[in-house]
CSV table of all heavy atoms in Angstrom, one decimal:
chain,number,residue,atom,x,y,z
A,15,ALA,N,-9.2,19.8,36.8
A,15,ALA,CA,-9.0,19.2,35.4
A,15,ALA,C,-8.0,18.1,35.4
A,15,ALA,O,-8.1,17.2,34.6
A,15,ALA,CB,-8.6,20.4,34.5
A,16,ALA,N,-7.0,18.2,36.2
A,16,ALA,CA,-5.9,17.3,36.1
A,16,ALA,C,-6.2,16.0,36.6
A,16,ALA,O,-5.5,15.0,36.3
A,16,ALA,CB,-4.6,17.8,36.9
A,17,ILE,N,-7.3,15.8,37.4
A,17,ILE,CA,-7.7,14.5,38.0
A,17,ILE,C,-8.8,13.9,37.2
A,17,ILE,O,-9.4,12.9,37.7
A,17,ILE,CB,-7.9,14.5,39.5
A,17,ILE,CG1,-9.0,15.4,39.8
A,17,ILE,CG2,-6.6,14.9,40.2
A,17,ILE,CD1,-9.3,15.4,41.3
A,18,ILE,N,-9.2,14.5,36.1
A,18,ILE,CA,-10.3,13.9,35.3
A,18,ILE,C,-9.9,12.5,34.7
A,18,ILE,O,-10.6,11.6,34.7
A,18,ILE,CB,-10.8,14.9,34.2
A,18,ILE,CG1,-11.4,16.1,34.9
A,18,ILE,CG2,-11.7,14.2,33.3
A,18,ILE,CD1,-11.7,17.2,33.9
A,19,GLY,N,-8.6,12.4,34.3
A,19,GLY,CA,-8.1,11.2,33.7
A,19,GLY,C,-7.4,11.6,32.4
A,19,GLY,O,-7.7,12.5,31.7
A,20,ILE,N,-6.4,10.7,32.0
A,20,ILE,CA,-5.6,11.1,31.0
A,20,ILE,C,-6.1,10.6,29.6
A,20,ILE,O,-5.5,10.8,28.6
A,20,ILE,CB,-4.2,10.5,31.1
A,20,ILE,CG1,-4.2,9.0,31.4
A,20,ILE,CG2,-3.5,11.2,32.3
A,20,ILE,CD1,-2.9,8.4,31.5
A,21,VAL,N,-7.3,10.1,29.6
A,21,VAL,CA,-7.9,9.6,28.3
A,21,VAL,C,-8.1,10.8,27.4
A,21,VAL,O,-8.0,10.6,26.2
A,21,VAL,CB,-9.2,8.8,28.6
A,21,VAL,CG1,-10.3,9.8,29.0
A,21,VAL,CG2,-9.5,8.0,27.3
A,22,VAL,N,-8.2,12.0,27.9
A,22,VAL,CA,-8.4,13.2,27.1
A,22,VAL,C,-7.0,13.5,26.4
A,22,VAL,O,-7.0,14.1,25.3
A,22,VAL,CB,-8.8,14.4,27.9
A,22,VAL,CG1,-10.1,14.8,27.5
A,22,VAL,CG2,-8.7,14.2,29.3
A,23,VAL,N,-5.9,13.2,27.0
A,23,VAL,CA,-4.6,13.5,26.4
A,23,VAL,C,-4.2,12.4,25.5
A,23,VAL,O,-3.7,12.7,24.5
A,23,VAL,CB,-3.6,13.7,27.6
A,23,VAL,CG1,-2.2,14.0,27.0
A,23,VAL,CG2,-4.1,14.8,28.5
A,24,MET,N,-4.3,11.1,25.9
A,24,MET,CA,-3.9,10.1,25.1
A,24,MET,C,-5.1,9.5,24.4
A,24,MET,O,-6.0,8.9,25.0
A,24,MET,CB,-3.3,8.9,25.9
A,24,MET,CG,-1.9,9.4,26.6
A,24,MET,SD,-1.2,8.0,27.5
A,24,MET,CE,-2.4,7.8,28.8
A,25,THR,N,-5.2,9.7,23.0
A,25,THR,CA,-6.3,9.1,22.3
A,25,THR,C,-5.8,7.7,21.9
A,25,THR,O,-4.9,7.5,21.1
A,25,THR,CB,-6.5,9.9,21.0
A,25,THR,OG1,-6.7,11.2,21.3
A,25,THR,CG2,-7.7,9.3,20.3
A,26,PRO,N,-6.5,6.7,22.5
A,26,PRO,CA,-6.0,5.3,22.4
A,26,PRO,C,-6.3,4.7,21.0
A,26,PRO,O,-7.4,4.7,20.5
A,26,PRO,CB,-6.9,4.6,23.5
A,26,PRO,CG,-7.5,5.6,24.3
A,26,PRO,CD,-7.6,6.8,23.4
A,27,LEU,N,-5.2,4.4,20.4
A,27,LEU,CA,-5.3,3.5,19.1
A,27,LEU,C,-6.4,4.0,18.1
A,27,LEU,O,-7.4,3.5,17.9
A,27,LEU,CB,-5.6,2.1,19.5
A,27,LEU,CG,-4.5,1.4,20.4
A,27,LEU,CD1,-4.9,0.0,20.7
A,27,LEU,CD2,-3.2,1.4,19.6
A,28,THR,N,-6.1,5.2,17.5
A,28,THR,CA,-7.0,5.7,16.6
A,28,THR,C,-7.1,4.9,15.3
A,28,THR,O,-6.2,4.0,15.1
A,28,THR,CB,-6.7,7.1,16.2
A,28,THR,OG1,-5.3,7.1,15.6
A,28,THR,CG2,-6.7,8.0,17.4
A,29,ASP,N,-8.0,5.2,14.4
A,29,ASP,CA,-8.1,4.4,13.2
A,29,ASP,C,-6.8,4.5,12.4
A,29,ASP,O,-6.5,3.6,11.5
A,29,ASP,CB,-9.3,4.9,12.3
A,29,ASP,CG,-10.6,4.4,12.9
A,29,ASP,OD1,-10.6,3.4,13.6
A,29,ASP,OD2,-11.6,5.1,12.8
A,30,GLU,N,-6.1,5.6,12.5
A,30,GLU,CA,-4.8,5.8,11.8
A,30,GLU,C,-3.8,4.7,12.1
A,30,GLU,O,-2.8,4.6,11.4
A,30,GLU,CB,-4.2,7.2,12.0
A,30,GLU,CG,-5.0,8.3,11.3
A,30,GLU,CD,-6.4,8.6,12.0
A,30,GLU,OE1,-6.5,8.2,13.1
A,30,GLU,OE2,-7.2,9.3,11.4
A,31,ALA,N,-4.0,4.0,13.3
A,31,ALA,CA,-3.0,3.0,13.7
A,31,ALA,C,-3.2,1.8,12.8
A,31,ALA,O,-2.3,0.9,12.8
A,31,ALA,CB,-3.2,2.7,15.2
A,32,ILE,N,-4.3,1.7,12.1
A,32,ILE,CA,-4.5,0.5,11.3
A,32,ILE,C,-3.9,0.8,9.9
A,32,ILE,O,-4.3,1.8,9.2
A,32,ILE,CB,-6.1,0.3,11.2
A,32,ILE,CG1,-6.7,0.0,12.5
A,32,ILE,CG2,-6.4,-0.9,10.2
A,32,ILE,CD1,-8.2,-0.1,12.5
A,33,PRO,N,-3.1,0.0,9.4
A,33,PRO,CA,-2.5,0.2,8.0
A,33,PRO,C,-3.6,0.2,7.0
A,33,PRO,O,-4.4,-0.7,6.9
A,33,PRO,CB,-1.6,-1.0,7.8
A,33,PRO,CG,-2.0,-2.0,8.8
A,33,PRO,CD,-2.6,-1.3,10.0
A,34,GLN,N,-3.6,1.4,6.2
A,34,GLN,CA,-4.7,1.6,5.2
A,34,GLN,C,-4.2,1.2,3.8
A,34,GLN,O,-5.0,0.7,3.0
A,34,GLN,CB,-5.1,3.0,5.2
A,34,GLN,CG,-5.7,3.5,6.5
A,34,GLN,CD,-6.9,2.8,6.9
A,34,GLN,OE1,-7.8,2.5,6.2
A,34,GLN,NE2,-7.0,2.3,8.2
A,35,ASN,N,-2.9,1.4,3.5
A,35,ASN,CA,-2.4,1.0,2.2
A,35,ASN,C,-0.9,0.9,2.3
A,35,ASN,O,-0.3,1.3,3.4
A,35,ASN,CB,-2.8,2.0,1.1
A,35,ASN,CG,-2.4,3.4,1.5
A,35,ASN,OD1,-1.2,3.7,1.7
A,35,ASN,ND2,-3.4,4.3,1.5
A,36,GLU,N,-0.2,0.4,1.3
A,36,GLU,CA,1.2,0.1,1.4
A,36,GLU,C,2.0,1.4,1.6
A,36,GLU,O,3.1,1.3,2.1
A,36,GLU,CB,1.7,-0.6,0.1
A,36,GLU,CG,1.0,-2.0,0.1
A,36,GLU,CD,1.6,-2.8,-1.2
A,36,GLU,OE1,2.6,-2.4,-1.6
A,36,GLU,OE2,0.8,-3.7,-1.6
A,37,ALA,N,1.5,2.5,1.2
A,37,ALA,CA,2.3,3.8,1.2
A,37,ALA,C,2.2,4.5,2.6
A,37,ALA,O,3.0,5.4,2.8
A,37,ALA,CB,1.8,4.7,0.1
A,38,SER,N,1.3,4.1,3.4
A,38,SER,CA,1.1,4.8,4.7
A,38,SER,C,2.2,4.5,5.6
A,38,SER,O,2.8,3.4,5.6
A,38,SER,CB,-0.3,4.4,5.4
A,38,SER,OG,-0.1,3.1,5.8
A,39,PRO,N,2.6,5.5,6.5
A,39,PRO,CA,3.6,5.2,7.5
A,39,PRO,C,3.4,4.0,8.4
A,39,PRO,O,4.2,3.3,8.8
A,39,PRO,CB,3.7,6.6,8.2
A,39,PRO,CG,3.1,7.6,7.3
A,39,PRO,CD,2.1,6.9,6.5
A,40,GLN,N,2.1,4.0,8.8
A,40,GLN,CA,1.7,2.9,9.6
A,40,GLN,C,2.0,1.6,9.0
A,40,GLN,O,2.3,0.5,9.6
A,40,GLN,CB,0.3,3.0,10.1
A,40,GLN,CG,0.0,4.1,11.1
A,40,GLN,CD,-0.1,5.5,10.4
A,40,GLN,OE1,-0.2,5.6,9.2
A,40,GLN,NE2,0.1,6.5,11.2
A,41,SER,N,1.6,1.5,7.7
A,41,SER,CA,1.8,0.3,7.0
A,41,SER,C,3.2,-0.2,7.0
A,41,SER,O,3.5,-1.4,7.2
A,41,SER,CB,1.3,0.4,5.5
A,41,SER,OG,1.5,-0.8,4.8
A,42,SER,N,4.2,0.7,6.8
A,42,SER,CA,5.6,0.3,6.7
A,42,SER,C,6.1,0.1,8.1
A,42,SER,O,7.0,-0.8,8.3
A,42,SER,CB,6.4,1.4,6.0
A,42,SER,OG,6.3,2.6,6.7
A,43,ALA,N,5.6,0.8,9.1
A,43,ALA,CA,6.2,0.7,10.5
A,43,ALA,C,5.6,-0.5,11.2
A,43,ALA,O,6.4,-1.1,11.9
A,43,ALA,CB,5.9,2.0,11.2
A,44,LEU,N,4.3,-0.7,11.1
A,44,LEU,CA,3.7,-1.7,11.8
A,44,LEU,C,3.6,-3.1,11.2
A,44,LEU,O,3.5,-4.1,11.8
A,44,LEU,CB,2.3,-1.3,12.3
A,44,LEU,CG,2.2,0.0,13.2
A,44,LEU,CD1,0.8,0.4,13.4
A,44,LEU,CD2,3.0,-0.3,14.5
A,45,VAL,N,3.7,-3.1,9.8
A,45,VAL,CA,3.6,-4.3,9.1
A,45,VAL,C,4.9,-4.3,8.2
A,45,VAL,O,4.8,-4.1,7.0
A,45,VAL,CB,2.3,-4.5,8.3
A,45,VAL,CG1,2.2,-5.9,7.8
A,45,VAL,CG2,1.1,-4.2,9.2
A,46,ALA,N,6.0,-4.5,8.8
A,46,ALA,CA,7.2,-4.3,8.1
A,46,ALA,C,7.5,-5.4,7.1
A,46,ALA,O,8.0,-5.1,6.0
A,46,ALA,CB,8.4,-4.3,9.1
A,47,ASN,N,7.0,-6.6,7.3
A,47,ASN,CA,7.2,-7.7,6.4
A,47,ASN,C,5.9,-8.2,5.9
A,47,ASN,O,5.0,-8.7,6.6
A,47,ASN,CB,7.9,-8.9,7.2
A,47,ASN,CG,8.2,-10.1,6.2
A,47,ASN,OD1,7.6,-10.2,5.2
A,47,ASN,ND2,9.2,-10.8,6.7
A,48,LYS,N,5.5,-7.9,4.6
A,48,LYS,CA,4.3,-8.2,4.0
A,48,LYS,C,4.0,-9.7,4.0
A,48,LYS,O,2.9,-10.1,4.0
A,48,LYS,CB,4.1,-7.5,2.6
A,48,LYS,CG,4.0,-6.0,2.6
A,48,LYS,CD,3.9,-5.5,1.2
A,48,LYS,CE,2.7,-6.0,0.5
A,48,LYS,NZ,2.6,-5.5,-0.9
A,49,GLU,N,5.1,-10.4,3.8
A,49,GLU,CA,4.9,-11.9,3.8
A,49,GLU,C,4.5,-12.5,5.1
A,49,GLU,O,3.7,-13.3,5.1
A,49,GLU,CB,6.2,-12.5,3.3
A,49,GLU,CG,6.7,-12.1,1.9
A,49,GLU,CD,5.7,-12.3,0.8
A,49,GLU,OE1,5.0,-13.4,0.9
A,49,GLU,OE2,5.5,-11.4,0.0
A,50,LEU,N,5.1,-11.9,6.2
A,50,LEU,CA,4.8,-12.5,7.5
A,50,LEU,C,4.8,-11.4,8.5
A,50,LEU,O,5.8,-10.9,8.9
A,50,LEU,CB,5.8,-13.5,7.9
A,50,LEU,CG,5.6,-14.2,9.2
A,50,LEU,CD1,4.3,-15.1,9.2
A,50,LEU,CD2,6.8,-15.1,9.5
A,51,PRO,N,3.6,-10.8,8.9
A,51,PRO,CA,3.5,-9.8,9.9
A,51,PRO,C,4.2,-10.2,11.1
A,51,PRO,O,4.2,-11.4,11.5
A,51,PRO,CB,2.0,-9.6,10.0
A,51,PRO,CG,1.4,-10.1,8.8
A,51,PRO,CD,2.3,-11.3,8.4
A,52,PRO,N,4.8,-9.3,11.9
A,52,PRO,CA,5.5,-9.6,13.1
A,52,PRO,C,4.6,-10.2,14.2
A,52,PRO,O,3.4,-9.8,14.3
A,52,PRO,CB,6.1,-8.3,13.6
A,52,PRO,CG,5.2,-7.3,13.0
A,52,PRO,CD,4.7,-7.8,11.7
A,53,THR,N,5.1,-11.2,14.9
A,53,THR,CA,4.3,-11.7,16.0
A,53,THR,C,4.6,-10.8,17.2
A,53,THR,O,5.5,-9.9,17.1
A,53,THR,CB,4.8,-13.1,16.4
A,53,THR,OG1,6.2,-13.1,16.8
A,53,THR,CG2,4.7,-14.1,15.2
A,54,LEU,N,4.0,-11.1,18.4
A,54,LEU,CA,4.2,-10.2,19.5
A,54,LEU,C,5.7,-10.2,20.0
A,54,LEU,O,6.3,-9.3,20.3
A,54,LEU,CB,3.3,-10.7,20.7
A,54,LEU,CG,1.8,-10.5,20.5
A,54,LEU,CD1,1.1,-10.9,21.7
A,54,LEU,CD2,1.5,-9.0,20.2
A,55,ASP,N,6.3,-11.4,19.9
A,55,ASP,CA,7.7,-11.5,20.3
A,55,ASP,C,8.6,-10.8,19.3
A,55,ASP,O,9.7,-10.3,19.7
A,55,ASP,CB,8.1,-13.0,20.4
A,55,ASP,CG,7.4,-13.7,21.6
A,55,ASP,OD1,7.0,-13.0,22.6
A,55,ASP,OD2,7.2,-14.9,21.5
A,56,GLN,N,8.2,-10.8,18.1
A,56,GLN,CA,9.1,-10.2,17.0
A,56,GLN,C,9.0,-8.7,16.9
A,56,GLN,O,9.8,-8.0,16.3
A,56,GLN,CB,8.8,-10.8,15.6
A,56,GLN,CG,9.1,-12.3,15.5
A,56,GLN,CD,8.5,-12.9,14.3
A,56,GLN,OE1,7.5,-12.4,13.8
A,56,GLN,NE2,9.1,-13.9,13.8
A,57,TYR,N,7.9,-8.1,17.5
A,57,TYR,CA,7.6,-6.7,17.4
A,57,TYR,C,8.7,-5.9,18.0
A,57,TYR,O,9.1,-6.2,19.2
A,57,TYR,CB,6.3,-6.4,17.9
A,57,TYR,CG,5.8,-5.0,17.5
A,57,TYR,CD1,5.0,-4.9,16.4
A,57,TYR,CD2,6.1,-3.9,18.2
A,57,TYR,CE1,4.5,-3.7,15.9
A,57,TYR,CE2,5.7,-2.7,17.8
A,57,TYR,CZ,4.8,-2.6,16.6
A,57,TYR,OH,4.4,-1.3,16.2
A,58,PRO,N,9.3,-4.9,17.3
A,58,PRO,CA,10.4,-4.1,18.0
A,58,PRO,C,10.0,-3.3,19.1
A,58,PRO,O,8.9,-2.6,19.0
A,58,PRO,CB,11.0,-3.3,16.8
A,58,PRO,CG,9.7,-3.1,15.8
A,58,PRO,CD,9.0,-4.4,16.0
A,59,LYS,N,10.7,-3.3,20.2
A,59,LYS,CA,10.4,-2.6,21.3
A,59,LYS,C,11.3,-1.3,21.5
A,59,LYS,O,12.5,-1.5,21.4
A,59,LYS,CB,10.5,-3.4,22.6
A,59,LYS,CG,9.4,-4.6,22.6
A,59,LYS,CD,9.5,-5.4,23.9
A,59,LYS,CE,8.5,-6.5,23.9
A,59,LYS,NZ,8.5,-7.3,25.1
């Protein structure tokens, strides 16, 4: 089982990762600035 692959453990980028509305955690976390969404360089690491 352990060598099948970790895709079963890590569900890659589910739909919940897409901001759905202003109140969602993803919306505030991933699109912190509504006027200008972060570029790749600006995204907090």
Side-chain angles (χ1 to χ4, degrees):
I17 62 174
I18 292 173
I20 56 178
V21 74
V22 246
V23 179
M24 293 185 290
T25 305
L27 297 174
T28 60
D29 287 330
E30 287 75 15
I32 302 175
Q34 301 296 315
N35 54 59
E36 294 181 24
S38 72
Q40 287 79 15
S41 178
S42 59
L44 296 176
V45 191
N47 186 337
K48 288 178 59 179
E49 300 301 321
L50 183 64
T53 65
L54 295 180
D55 293 334
Q56 295 168 331
Y57 197 90
K59 295 182 180 181

